Amino acid sequence: MCRNIRVLSNFQPPTTVEEMQAAALQYVRKVSGMQKPSRGNQASFDLAVERITAATRDLLAALEVRTTPRTREDELRKARQRAVRRFGPRDAESSE
């Protein structure tokens, strides 16, 4: 799974269209193998991002979620904790 694509379901405040577009863009980049399409492929690339964004919006609207909504702050804190477990704590010199 591409690490740049984040969970978008069950957030408070709700997931924005911009977040959905960013996830769709990452997905299309991963599947196509291109960071930036050529001019000849740009229209197909953009259409795929648009369709995936719409499908994501429809999916998130249809899901029945029974858990407590997530917050972006909590998700950021958890990501930082995972990074510390994975890479170790940052030393004081590298954070300056």
Side-chain angles (χ1 to χ4, degrees):
M1 174 60 115
C2 183
R3 282 185 263 232
N4 292 332
I5 298 176
R6 302 288 180 227
V7 173
L8 299 178
S9 175
N10 195 26
F11 271 98
Q12 193 57 19
T15 301
T16 65
V17 173
E18 290 79 17
E19 290 169 317
M20 291 181 223
Q21 288 170 333
L25 178 60
Q26 287 299 322
Y27 176 80
V28 171
R29 285 176 174 168
K30 185 71 165 186
V31 170
S32 68
M34 328 178 178
Q35 186 70 16
K36 181 153 175 49
S38 65
R39 277 187 256 158
N41 290 325
Q42 187 69 52
S44 297
F45 195 89
D46 292 344
L47 181 59
V49 171
E50 182 181 319
R51 287 181 175 172
I52 292 167
T53 300
T56 301
R57 185 180 57 247
D58 294 345
L59 172 64
L60 294 178
L63 290 176
E64 293 181 23
V65 182
R66 295 188 175 118
T67 60
T68 304
R70 300 174 179 150
T71 65
R72 285 161 184 80
E73 294 78 22
D74 283 344
E75 293 300 307
L76 182 60
R77 181 184 46 77
K78 288 184 222 176
R80 287 182 178 149
Q81 288 172 345
R82 284 190 302 271
V84 167
R85 283 193 306 271
R86 187 171 180 198
F87 303 111
R90 297 174 97 189
D91 57 333
E93 292 177 19
S94 66
S95 62
E96 293 178 0

